[in-house]
Amino acid sequence: TINWSATAYDAAGAASPILTGSFTVTAPANRAPTLVKTAATGTSVTTGQAYSLTFSAADADGNLANVDVNWNDGTPVERKAVSGSSATVTFTRTFSTARTINWSATAYDAAGAASPMLTGSFTVTAPANRAPTLTLTTSGGTTVAKGQAYSLTFKAADLDGNLSNVDVNWNDGTLVEHKAVSGSSATV
């Protein structure tokens, strides 16, 4: 509060009655920041691939403090410090299991005012399984004498790394030979 007084004087030194008054100096009201989503990876991503959200935060008072993203996946809220009157921030996360992610984001200023919360969702999907490949690497030739052993050697490969077996059917009435394998490559 400012208390003021004023007096008028003439050349002979006579003074007017003193006038007084007061006024209050107030700080401008803090304005909440704003937050806009400016980019996202899309509506879905496969497991193991990064998903990114980019935001633009602004504060008319010039006192941005942080932008928070809650991935709502059981992990703590991710916070990025910002300052000044505007900032752009990107949040990136990789997910190991298929699910729907419902995220939320909020900007805060140094006085604690919050922007309106932004929300969105995207789907994390399991990658499509790719079929293994099988290559004949050696064989016993095109003929074999009756009663003699005949052999085949195969190389199996799987880009997904989940080989399980190689089966050989001799088509002679015997059971199918089942060879258990694992990993991304095997020779049988």
PDB file of all heavy atoms in Angstrom, residues 119-146:
ATOM      1  N   THR A 119      -5.162 -35.358 -23.347  1.00  0.00           N
ATOM      2  CA  THR A 119      -5.207 -36.812 -23.246  1.00  0.00           C
ATOM      3  C   THR A 119      -5.252 -37.421 -24.644  1.00  0.00           C
ATOM      4  O   THR A 119      -5.618 -36.759 -25.618  1.00  0.00           O
ATOM      5  CB  THR A 119      -6.448 -37.292 -22.463  1.00  0.00           C
ATOM      6  OG1 THR A 119      -7.621 -36.851 -23.148  1.00  0.00           O
ATOM      7  CG2 THR A 119      -6.436 -36.761 -21.038  1.00  0.00           C
ATOM      8  N   GLY A 120      -4.874 -38.668 -24.709  1.00  0.00           N
ATOM      9  CA  GLY A 120      -4.929 -39.397 -25.967  1.00  0.00           C
ATOM     10  C   GLY A 120      -4.637 -40.853 -25.728  1.00  0.00           C
ATOM     11  O   GLY A 120      -4.348 -41.271 -24.602  1.00  0.00           O
ATOM     12  N   SER A 121      -4.693 -41.623 -26.793  1.00  0.00           N
ATOM     13  CA  SER A 121      -4.405 -43.048 -26.658  1.00  0.00           C
ATOM     14  C   SER A 121      -3.812 -43.574 -27.949  1.00  0.00           C
ATOM     15  O   SER A 121      -3.949 -42.962 -29.012  1.00  0.00           O
ATOM     16  CB  SER A 121      -5.666 -43.829 -26.289  1.00  0.00           C
ATOM     17  OG  SER A 121      -6.599 -43.780 -27.348  1.00  0.00           O
ATOM     18  N   PHE A 122      -3.134 -44.689 -27.827  1.00  0.00           N
ATOM     19  CA  PHE A 122      -2.610 -45.413 -28.971  1.00  0.00           C
ATOM     20  C   PHE A 122      -2.503 -46.881 -28.588  1.00  0.00           C
ATOM     21  O   PHE A 122      -2.574 -47.233 -27.417  1.00  0.00           O
ATOM     22  CB  PHE A 122      -1.263 -44.848 -29.451  1.00  0.00           C
ATOM     23  CG  PHE A 122      -0.157 -44.915 -28.439  1.00  0.00           C
ATOM     24  CD1 PHE A 122       0.714 -45.999 -28.399  1.00  0.00           C
ATOM     25  CD2 PHE A 122       0.023 -43.888 -27.518  1.00  0.00           C
ATOM     26  CE1 PHE A 122       1.734 -46.049 -27.468  1.00  0.00           C
ATOM     27  CE2 PHE A 122       1.045 -43.940 -26.586  1.00  0.00           C
ATOM     28  CZ  PHE A 122       1.905 -45.019 -26.562  1.00  0.00           C
ATOM     29  N   THR A 123      -2.334 -47.724 -29.593  1.00  0.00           N
ATOM     30  CA  THR A 123      -2.296 -49.159 -29.374  1.00  0.00           C
ATOM     31  C   THR A 123      -0.888 -49.679 -29.606  1.00  0.00           C
ATOM     32  O   THR A 123      -0.240 -49.308 -30.588  1.00  0.00           O
ATOM     33  CB  THR A 123      -3.271 -49.868 -30.331  1.00  0.00           C
ATOM     34  OG1 THR A 123      -4.565 -49.306 -30.142  1.00  0.00           O
ATOM     35  CG2 THR A 123      -3.316 -51.362 -30.061  1.00  0.00           C
ATOM     36  N   VAL A 124      -0.427 -50.508 -28.695  1.00  0.00           N
ATOM     37  CA  VAL A 124       0.837 -51.225 -28.860  1.00  0.00           C
ATOM     38  C   VAL A 124       0.469 -52.636 -29.296  1.00  0.00           C
ATOM     39  O   VAL A 124      -0.283 -53.326 -28.601  1.00  0.00           O
ATOM     40  CB  VAL A 124       1.654 -51.263 -27.548  1.00  0.00           C
ATOM     41  CG1 VAL A 124       2.961 -52.013 -27.755  1.00  0.00           C
ATOM     42  CG2 VAL A 124       1.899 -49.854 -27.032  1.00  0.00           C
ATOM     43  N   THR A 125       0.947 -53.040 -30.456  1.00  0.00           N
ATOM     44  CA  THR A 125       0.584 -54.344 -31.005  1.00  0.00           C
ATOM     45  C   THR A 125       1.805 -55.249 -31.074  1.00  0.00           C
ATOM     46  O   THR A 125       2.939 -54.779 -31.194  1.00  0.00           O
ATOM     47  CB  THR A 125      -0.002 -54.206 -32.421  1.00  0.00           C
ATOM     48  OG1 THR A 125       0.962 -53.582 -33.263  1.00  0.00           O
ATOM     49  CG2 THR A 125      -1.278 -53.390 -32.412  1.00  0.00           C
ATOM     50  N   ALA A 126       1.552 -56.541 -31.000  1.00  0.00           N
ATOM     51  CA  ALA A 126       2.635 -57.517 -31.176  1.00  0.00           C
ATOM     52  C   ALA A 126       2.966 -57.576 -32.661  1.00  0.00           C
ATOM     53  O   ALA A 126       2.073 -57.498 -33.501  1.00  0.00           O
ATOM     54  CB  ALA A 126       2.199 -58.880 -30.664  1.00  0.00           C
ATOM     55  N   PRO A 127       4.241 -57.695 -32.996  1.00  0.00           N
ATOM     56  CA  PRO A 127       4.583 -57.781 -34.416  1.00  0.00           C
ATOM     57  C   PRO A 127       4.035 -59.075 -35.015  1.00  0.00           C
ATOM     58  O   PRO A 127       3.903 -60.080 -34.334  1.00  0.00           O
ATOM     59  CB  PRO A 127       6.118 -57.774 -34.431  1.00  0.00           C
ATOM     60  CG  PRO A 127       6.527 -58.218 -33.073  1.00  0.00           C
ATOM     61  CD  PRO A 127       5.425 -57.810 -32.137  1.00  0.00           C
ATOM     62  N   ALA A 128       3.741 -59.039 -36.294  1.00  0.00           N
ATOM     63  CA  ALA A 128       3.245 -60.232 -36.984  1.00  0.00           C
ATOM     64  C   ALA A 128       4.354 -61.288 -37.022  1.00  0.00           C
ATOM     65  O   ALA A 128       5.520 -60.974 -37.259  1.00  0.00           O
ATOM     66  CB  ALA A 128       2.815 -59.879 -38.392  1.00  0.00           C
ATOM     67  N   ASN A 129       3.980 -62.513 -36.768  1.00  0.00           N
ATOM     68  CA  ASN A 129       4.943 -63.604 -36.808  1.00  0.00           C
ATOM     69  C   ASN A 129       5.343 -63.861 -38.263  1.00  0.00           C
ATOM     70  O   ASN A 129       4.496 -63.895 -39.150  1.00  0.00           O
ATOM     71  CB  ASN A 129       4.329 -64.870 -36.203  1.00  0.00           C
ATOM     72  CG  ASN A 129       5.323 -66.000 -36.116  1.00  0.00           C
ATOM     73  OD1 ASN A 129       6.462 -65.798 -35.735  1.00  0.00           O
ATOM     74  ND2 ASN A 129       4.889 -67.190 -36.481  1.00  0.00           N
ATOM     75  N   ARG A 130       6.626 -64.015 -38.491  1.00  0.00           N
ATOM     76  CA  ARG A 130       7.131 -64.320 -39.840  1.00  0.00           C
ATOM     77  C   ARG A 130       7.488 -65.796 -39.919  1.00  0.00           C
ATOM     78  O   ARG A 130       8.095 -66.342 -39.003  1.00  0.00           O
ATOM     79  CB  ARG A 130       8.347 -63.447 -40.150  1.00  0.00           C
ATOM     80  CG  ARG A 130       7.952 -61.954 -40.202  1.00  0.00           C
ATOM     81  CD  ARG A 130       9.140 -61.064 -40.181  1.00  0.00           C
ATOM     82  NE  ARG A 130       9.706 -61.060 -38.826  1.00  0.00           N
ATOM     83  CZ  ARG A 130      10.687 -60.275 -38.435  1.00  0.00           C
ATOM     84  NH1 ARG A 130      11.230 -59.439 -39.277  1.00  0.00           N
ATOM     85  NH2 ARG A 130      11.144 -60.328 -37.209  1.00  0.00           N
ATOM     86  N   ALA A 131       7.119 -66.422 -41.007  1.00  0.00           N
ATOM     87  CA  ALA A 131       7.374 -67.856 -41.190  1.00  0.00           C
ATOM     88  C   ALA A 131       8.874 -68.112 -41.307  1.00  0.00           C
ATOM     89  O   ALA A 131       9.609 -67.301 -41.883  1.00  0.00           O
ATOM     90  CB  ALA A 131       6.665 -68.357 -42.439  1.00  0.00           C
ATOM     91  N   PRO A 132       9.334 -69.240 -40.781  1.00  0.00           N
ATOM     92  CA  PRO A 132      10.756 -69.576 -40.919  1.00  0.00           C
ATOM     93  C   PRO A 132      11.074 -69.977 -42.368  1.00  0.00           C
ATOM     94  O   PRO A 132      10.178 -70.244 -43.171  1.00  0.00           O
ATOM     95  CB  PRO A 132      10.937 -70.762 -39.971  1.00  0.00           C
ATOM     96  CG  PRO A 132       9.586 -71.360 -39.836  1.00  0.00           C
ATOM     97  CD  PRO A 132       8.600 -70.251 -40.014  1.00  0.00           C
ATOM     98  N   THR A 133      12.357 -70.008 -42.658  1.00  0.00           N
ATOM     99  CA  THR A 133      12.817 -70.492 -43.963  1.00  0.00           C
ATOM    100  C   THR A 133      13.520 -71.830 -43.763  1.00  0.00           C
ATOM    101  O   THR A 133      14.059 -72.108 -42.689  1.00  0.00           O
ATOM    102  CB  THR A 133      13.793 -69.498 -44.626  1.00  0.00           C
ATOM    103  OG1 THR A 133      14.913 -69.308 -43.772  1.00  0.00           O
ATOM    104  CG2 THR A 133      13.109 -68.161 -44.892  1.00  0.00           C
ATOM    105  N   LEU A 134      13.527 -72.655 -44.809  1.00  0.00           N
ATOM    106  CA  LEU A 134      14.164 -73.965 -44.749  1.00  0.00           C
ATOM    107  C   LEU A 134      14.931 -74.163 -46.044  1.00  0.00           C
ATOM    108  O   LEU A 134      14.380 -74.004 -47.131  1.00  0.00           O
ATOM    109  CB  LEU A 134      13.127 -75.071 -44.571  1.00  0.00           C
ATOM    110  CG  LEU A 134      13.653 -76.481 -44.375  1.00  0.00           C
ATOM    111  CD1 LEU A 134      14.436 -76.585 -43.068  1.00  0.00           C
ATOM    112  CD2 LEU A 134      12.502 -77.478 -44.402  1.00  0.00           C
ATOM    113  N   THR A 135      16.218 -74.487 -45.919  1.00  0.00           N
ATOM    114  CA  THR A 135      17.082 -74.692 -47.072  1.00  0.00           C
ATOM    115  C   THR A 135      17.717 -76.067 -46.976  1.00  0.00           C
ATOM    116  O   THR A 135      18.237 -76.449 -45.926  1.00  0.00           O
ATOM    117  CB  THR A 135      18.200 -73.622 -47.102  1.00  0.00           C
ATOM    118  OG1 THR A 135      17.601 -72.341 -47.038  1.00  0.00           O
ATOM    119  CG2 THR A 135      19.029 -73.734 -48.355  1.00  0.00           C
ATOM    120  N   LEU A 136      17.672 -76.815 -48.090  1.00  0.00           N
ATOM    121  CA  LEU A 136      18.357 -78.100 -48.162  1.00  0.00           C
ATOM    122  C   LEU A 136      19.834 -77.808 -48.403  1.00  0.00           C
ATOM    123  O   LEU A 136      20.191 -77.180 -49.394  1.00  0.00           O
ATOM    124  CB  LEU A 136      17.789 -78.961 -49.302  1.00  0.00           C
ATOM    125  CG  LEU A 136      18.463 -80.304 -49.548  1.00  0.00           C
ATOM    126  CD1 LEU A 136      18.302 -81.241 -48.351  1.00  0.00           C
ATOM    127  CD2 LEU A 136      17.897 -80.940 -50.813  1.00  0.00           C
ATOM    128  N   THR A 137      20.710 -78.237 -47.482  1.00  0.00           N
ATOM    129  CA  THR A 137      22.140 -77.944 -47.638  1.00  0.00           C
ATOM    130  C   THR A 137      22.913 -79.130 -48.208  1.00  0.00           C
ATOM    131  O   THR A 137      23.853 -78.933 -48.968  1.00  0.00           O
ATOM    132  CB  THR A 137      22.769 -77.493 -46.299  1.00  0.00           C
ATOM    133  OG1 THR A 137      22.538 -78.488 -45.320  1.00  0.00           O
ATOM    134  CG2 THR A 137      22.159 -76.173 -45.843  1.00  0.00           C
ATOM    135  N   THR A 138      22.549 -80.364 -47.851  1.00  0.00           N
ATOM    136  CA  THR A 138      23.183 -81.557 -48.445  1.00  0.00           C
ATOM    137  C   THR A 138      22.158 -82.685 -48.515  1.00  0.00           C
ATOM    138  O   THR A 138      21.198 -82.723 -47.727  1.00  0.00           O
ATOM    139  CB  THR A 138      24.397 -82.053 -47.629  1.00  0.00           C
ATOM    140  OG1 THR A 138      23.973 -82.413 -46.319  1.00  0.00           O
ATOM    141  CG2 THR A 138      25.505 -81.018 -47.562  1.00  0.00           C
ATOM    142  N   SER A 139      22.379 -83.593 -49.464  1.00  0.00           N
ATOM    143  CA  SER A 139      21.510 -84.759 -49.566  1.00  0.00           C
ATOM    144  C   SER A 139      22.358 -85.951 -49.989  1.00  0.00           C
ATOM    145  O   SER A 139      23.507 -85.802 -50.425  1.00  0.00           O
ATOM    146  CB  SER A 139      20.388 -84.515 -50.580  1.00  0.00           C
ATOM    147  OG  SER A 139      20.901 -84.535 -51.902  1.00  0.00           O
ATOM    148  N   GLY A 140      21.772 -87.127 -49.900  1.00  0.00           N
ATOM    149  CA  GLY A 140      22.466 -88.355 -50.285  1.00  0.00           C
ATOM    150  C   GLY A 140      22.433 -88.612 -51.789  1.00  0.00           C
ATOM    151  O   GLY A 140      22.735 -89.711 -52.219  1.00  0.00           O
ATOM    152  N   GLY A 141      22.089 -87.621 -52.575  1.00  0.00           N
ATOM    153  CA  GLY A 141      22.048 -87.775 -54.021  1.00  0.00           C
ATOM    154  C   GLY A 141      20.644 -88.022 -54.515  1.00  0.00           C
ATOM    155  O   GLY A 141      19.662 -87.855 -53.794  1.00  0.00           O
ATOM    156  N   THR A 142      20.549 -88.510 -55.771  1.00  0.00           N
ATOM    157  CA  THR A 142      19.236 -88.741 -56.376  1.00  0.00           C
ATOM    158  C   THR A 142      18.822 -90.200 -56.336  1.00  0.00           C
ATOM    159  O   THR A 142      17.680 -90.531 -56.620  1.00  0.00           O
ATOM    160  CB  THR A 142      19.211 -88.231 -57.830  1.00  0.00           C
ATOM    161  OG1 THR A 142      20.241 -88.905 -58.566  1.00  0.00           O
ATOM    162  CG2 THR A 142      19.418 -86.732 -57.890  1.00  0.00           C
ATOM    163  N   THR A 143      19.777 -91.097 -56.000  1.00  0.00           N
ATOM    164  CA  THR A 143      19.438 -92.525 -55.872  1.00  0.00           C
ATOM    165  C   THR A 143      20.177 -93.108 -54.680  1.00  0.00           C
ATOM    166  O   THR A 143      21.210 -92.592 -54.248  1.00  0.00           O
ATOM    167  CB  THR A 143      19.852 -93.322 -57.142  1.00  0.00           C
ATOM    168  OG1 THR A 143      21.261 -93.219 -57.303  1.00  0.00           O
ATOM    169  CG2 THR A 143      19.130 -92.811 -58.378  1.00  0.00           C
ATOM    170  N   VAL A 144      19.631 -94.205 -54.189  1.00  0.00           N
ATOM    171  CA  VAL A 144      20.263 -94.919 -53.097  1.00  0.00           C
ATOM    172  C   VAL A 144      19.927 -96.403 -53.259  1.00  0.00           C
ATOM    173  O   VAL A 144      18.826 -96.759 -53.692  1.00  0.00           O
ATOM    174  CB  VAL A 144      19.823 -94.375 -51.711  1.00  0.00           C
ATOM    175  CG1 VAL A 144      18.366 -94.635 -51.457  1.00  0.00           C
ATOM    176  CG2 VAL A 144      20.672 -94.962 -50.602  1.00  0.00           C
ATOM    177  N   ALA A 145      20.875 -97.263 -52.934  1.00  0.00           N
ATOM    178  CA  ALA A 145      20.642 -98.707 -53.015  1.00  0.00           C
ATOM    179  C   ALA A 145      19.703 -99.132 -51.908  1.00  0.00           C
ATOM    180  O   ALA A 145      19.752 -98.602 -50.791  1.00  0.00           O
ATOM    181  CB  ALA A 145      21.973 -99.451 -52.903  1.00  0.00           C
ATOM    182  N   LYS A 146      18.861-100.108 -52.209  1.00  0.00           N
ATOM    183  CA  LYS A 146      17.912-100.619 -51.227  1.00  0.00           C
ATOM    184  C   LYS A 146      18.672-101.086 -49.993  1.00  0.00           C
ATOM    185  O   LYS A 146      19.695-101.756 -50.103  1.00  0.00           O
ATOM    186  CB  LYS A 146      17.109-101.769 -51.832  1.00  0.00           C
ATOM    187  CG  LYS A 146      16.001-102.237 -50.930  1.00  0.00           C
ATOM    188  CD  LYS A 146      15.165-103.286 -51.634  1.00  0.00           C
ATOM    189  CE  LYS A 146      14.057-103.698 -50.699  1.00  0.00           C
ATOM    190  NZ  LYS A 146      13.178-104.668 -51.276  1.00  0.00           N
TER     191      LYS A 146
END
